Amino acid sequence: MQQNLFVYNTLTRKKELFKPINAPHVGMYVCGPTVYSDVHLGNCRTYISFDLMFRYLTAIGYKVRYVRNVTDAGHLEGDAGDEGEDKIAKKAKLAQLEPMEIVQKYTVGFRDVMKVLNNLPPSIEPTATGHIIEQIEMVKVILEKGYAYEVDGTVYFDVEKYNKTKDYGILSGRNLDDLLNNTRTLGGQEEKHGKLDFALWIKAKPEHLMKWPSPWGVGFPGWHLECSAMSQKYLGSHFDIHGGGLDLVPTHHTNEIAQNVACCGTNPANYWVHTNMLTVNGQKMSKSLGNSFLPHELFSGENSILNKGYTPMTVRFFMLQAHYRSTLDFGNEAMEASEKGFKRLMNAFALLTDGLKASATTEVEIAPLMERCYAAMNDDFNSPVLIAELFEASRIINSVYDGKLKIDAANLEQLTVLMNTFVVDVLGLQNEQAANDDLPKVLNFIVDLRSGAKANKDYATSDKIRDGLSQIGFQLKDSKEGTTWSKA
């Protein structure tokens, strides 16, 4: 039942009718996490948003290949692509572990959080280190086509040469002169042809931990190149949707487009979709401001911002109450309101599944409400409007249950389809009992995080987690075999 879906396209800065290249098949690539630390709430917001899109596209009949990568090498501290130390290698040195131990730990942690938040797994989850050959081949082609140059084992993309025939700032909407005037001079710039040039392949220093042989010497791929190579391998040179956080537009996604056009002659995606950032009480969430907290701290309540913890399903509901392109602000009042709203919606859903009685006649028609639910999602995946319509469905359920409204069998069946489709299949919400069934997974995840803190000799965090669990009624017991939890 494919709909007239409109999607906001960052590339054109307007909503456009969604027309897949090869319907009913849809290719969607989303930039995944760099696995050097615990997944943060901004990541969770982004992946919940794309999970919503994945679910809705599937619900309306598309066959979606959803590719979300794992960056397990090559993402340097500067984020521009070729400055600073590799984030994973740096963490490995500090922890005195192999880089792949860091990768494994935080990849598992990321997937655990995604599962707890009821995100569906992507169709394919490729890693950067598993696609070194594809990246080297892509660099070769870009070099052959004249859009890159090699200097002492490092290969740079020539932005100014590219911009002579292409539009480097097509995604960000900025012209090259503005970009050049607002780019600070970085270390190592003397070997580049231009200030905006970025590394496709980087020569590894002797002490660099993660490196591979290439035609230009031992090195490692640039962060931007990784996504270009993996999206091309699994979705082709031209696919439907490319997504990520809004912060990726100016550099990472801009450089991806340049690489793909230089290599394949085409912008990789027809629709570029971006999620907005998180704020806390009106301020940007950041470690430097001391107002950032991790998912497990949100679940447990062990943070300095909120008065208490919230279940993963409440958090998911809270995030879906804001449109993915709007800023999402965390605060006590907003979270408490979401908790009440989520319980109200799921309580009504429980009444429906427990069995409402149909009447011979009806005082309500569900078809118009169903149409409005689809209309909300067809308007750029507008989950807050959808949720408002589902509260109207909840009002109808409660009125029928209280005997204040009559509904016949046909409309009751349609109401049941509506709630199952949009609450479960599209929004991905589970009732409180289902959320409670996941409690052991959440607690085991928190226990693992505490064990990691102890291993890193971060005893303050370890004690904070133990004391926090104790306050909400769970006791931890440490032994030689590990840590177990029980209800106090």
Side-chain angles (χ1 to χ4, degrees):
M1 189 178 60
Q2 290 165 18
Q3 304 277 322
N4 286 328
L5 168 64
F6 286 81
V7 179
Y8 184 85
N9 192 348
T10 306
L11 196 64
T12 59
R13 292 158 193 80
K14 63 182 181 182
K15 291 179 189 177
E16 297 179 348
L17 179 64
F18 182 61
K19 296 180 180 178
I21 297 166
N22 185 29
H25 300 280
V26 171
M28 182 170 75
Y29 185 91
V30 175
C31 291
T34 300
V35 284
Y36 71 102
S37 63
D38 293 311
V39 58
H40 58 75
L41 285 169
N43 287 144
C44 293
R45 197 267 174 104
T46 292
Y47 301 129
I48 285 174
S49 297
F50 284 103
D51 183 64
L52 172 74
M53 297 175 203
F54 180 32
R55 286 171 175 272
Y56 185 64
L57 288 166
T58 302
I60 60 176
Y62 289 112
K63 300 181 185 301
V64 186
R65 177 177 288 177
Y66 175 17
V67 182
R68 186 185 66 208
N69 73 294
V70 171
T71 297
D72 57 353
H75 191 169
L76 306 187
E77 290 178 299
D79 279 347
D82 51 351
E83 299 294 335
E85 193 173 357
D86 184 292
K87 294 182 177 185
I88 292 166
K90 182 178 181 180
K91 188 65 172 275
K93 288 178 185 175
L94 290 172
Q96 295 184 318
L97 297 170
E98 283 291 326
M100 283 299 137
E101 288 183 87
I102 297 295
V103 166
Q104 178 70 5
K105 174 183 176 181
Y106 291 113
T107 299
V108 169
F110 168 72
R111 288 173 180 158
D112 285 345
V113 172
M114 292 299 101
K115 190 171 183 180
V116 165
L117 290 168
N118 202 29
N119 278 2
L120 297 173
S123 314
I124 302 173
E125 197 171 28
T127 64
T129 56
H131 296 79
I132 298 297
I133 292 172
E134 289 84 354
Q135 292 168 71
I136 289 173
E137 290 303 311
M138 198 167 197
V139 176
K140 286 180 182 178
V141 174
I142 296 173
L143 276 166
E144 288 168 5
K145 294 193 174 181
Y147 290 109
Y149 56 93
E150 186 245 335
V151 180
D152 190 29
T154 296
V155 181
Y156 292 104
F157 189 92
D158 194 326
V159 171
E160 291 182 58
K161 184 174 181 180
Y162 171 85
N163 196 68
K164 288 178 181 177
T165 56
K166 316 293 182 185
D167 183 1
Y168 176 69
I170 190 171
L171 187 66
S172 66
R174 300 176 67 188
N175 64 48
L176 195 67
D177 289 338
D178 287 342
L179 290 168
L180 286 167
N181 291 334
N182 289 287
T183 300
R184 62 191 178 93
T185 301
L186 299 169
Q189 289 279 8
E190 62 277 358
E191 65 181 26
K192 298 181 182 180
H193 291 178
K195 286 200 297 183
L196 293 173
D197 293 358
F198 58 92
L200 301 173
W201 185 265
I202 304 168
K203 180 181 180 180
K205 296 176 181 177
E207 67 272 16
H208 196 88
L209 296 177
M210 306 175 80
K211 50 196 173 186
W212 295 265
S214 80
W216 316 285
V218 175
F220 56 95
W223 172 41
H224 314 305
L225 181 73
E226 297 172 353
C227 286
S228 286
M230 287 184 281
S231 65
Q232 183 183 348
K233 179 177 178 65
Y234 295 107
L235 298 174
S237 59
H238 190 207
F239 52 92
D240 298 299
I241 299 171
H242 195 310
L246 197 60
D247 58 313
L248 298 181
V249 171
T251 304
H252 185 53
H253 285 172
T254 288
N255 290 346
E256 272 194 72
I257 291 175
Q259 290 165 163
N260 282 71
V261 172
C263 179
C264 309
T266 180
N267 188 314
N270 282 346
Y271 303 87
W272 287 80
V273 181
H274 294 94
T275 57
N276 213 324
M277 66 178 183
L278 296 181
T279 57
V280 179
N281 296 320
Q283 285 188 308
K284 182 179 178 181
M285 182 181 284
S286 70
K287 290 181 181 179
S288 60
L289 292 174
N291 67 354
S292 70
F293 46 94
L294 295 171
H296 74 272
E297 294 170 327
L298 178 55
F299 302 151
S300 69
E302 286 300 299
N303 62 80
S304 60
I305 307 298
L306 301 177
N307 293 333
K308 64 176 186 177
Y310 295 90
T311 66
M313 284 299 98
T314 300
V315 173
R316 183 181 179 94
F317 181 75
F318 168 72
M319 291 188 174
L320 292 171
Q321 278 193 297
H323 190 268
Y324 76 89
R325 286 195 293 114
S326 66
T327 302
L328 177 63
D329 188 59
F330 272 93
N332 282 302
E333 288 186 11
M335 287 300 303
E336 286 170 10
S338 283
E339 184 178 55
K340 290 176 183 176
F342 173 68
K343 287 180 178 178
R344 181 155 55 99
L345 177 64
M346 300 314 291
N347 286 341
F349 192 24
L351 292 178
L352 180 65
T353 55
D354 286 345
L356 294 184
K357 292 182 179 179
S359 303
T361 59
T362 189
E363 297 171 340
V364 59
E365 295 291 333
I366 301 302
L369 179 58
M370 181 81 82
E371 289 174 7
R372 295 198 302 272
C373 288
Y374 278 109
M377 288 302 292
N378 288 336
D379 182 18
D380 194 27
F381 309 102
N382 201 324
S383 57
V385 172
L386 170 62
I387 288 170
E389 298 294 353
L390 292 175
F391 280 135
E392 172 60 15
S394 299
R395 184 194 67 78
I396 293 170
I397 292 168
N398 288 324
S399 295
V400 172
Y401 180 79
D402 293 337
K404 298 175 182 177
L405 196 64
K406 293 180 180 179
I407 188 169
D408 63 15
N411 277 287
L412 180 57
E413 182 181 358
Q414 195 167 23
L415 181 59
T416 303
V417 170
L418 183 152
M419 292 294 281
N420 276 295
T421 297
F422 289 101
V423 175
V424 179
D425 297 342
V426 174
L427 293 180
L429 297 173
Q430 299 173 320
N431 62 33
E432 288 293 348
Q433 183 58 50
N436 288 337
D437 289 343
D438 282 336
L439 184 61
K441 298 175 187 175
V442 176
L443 285 166
N444 288 334
F445 173 62
I446 293 171
V447 168
D448 287 345
L449 289 171
R450 177 175 176 265
S451 298
K454 287 180 68 179
N456 290 329
K457 298 185 178 180
D458 183 1
Y459 299 118
T461 298
S462 170
D463 292 345
K464 191 175 182 181
I465 292 172
R466 181 199 62 210
D467 295 342
L469 288 175
S470 176
Q471 288 173 13
I472 60 174
F474 293 94
Q475 184 176 9
L476 298 185
K477 183 177 181 180
D478 295 319
S479 67
K480 292 180 181 179
E481 288 75 30
T483 301
T484 57
W485 62 268
S486 62
K487 189 76 175 156

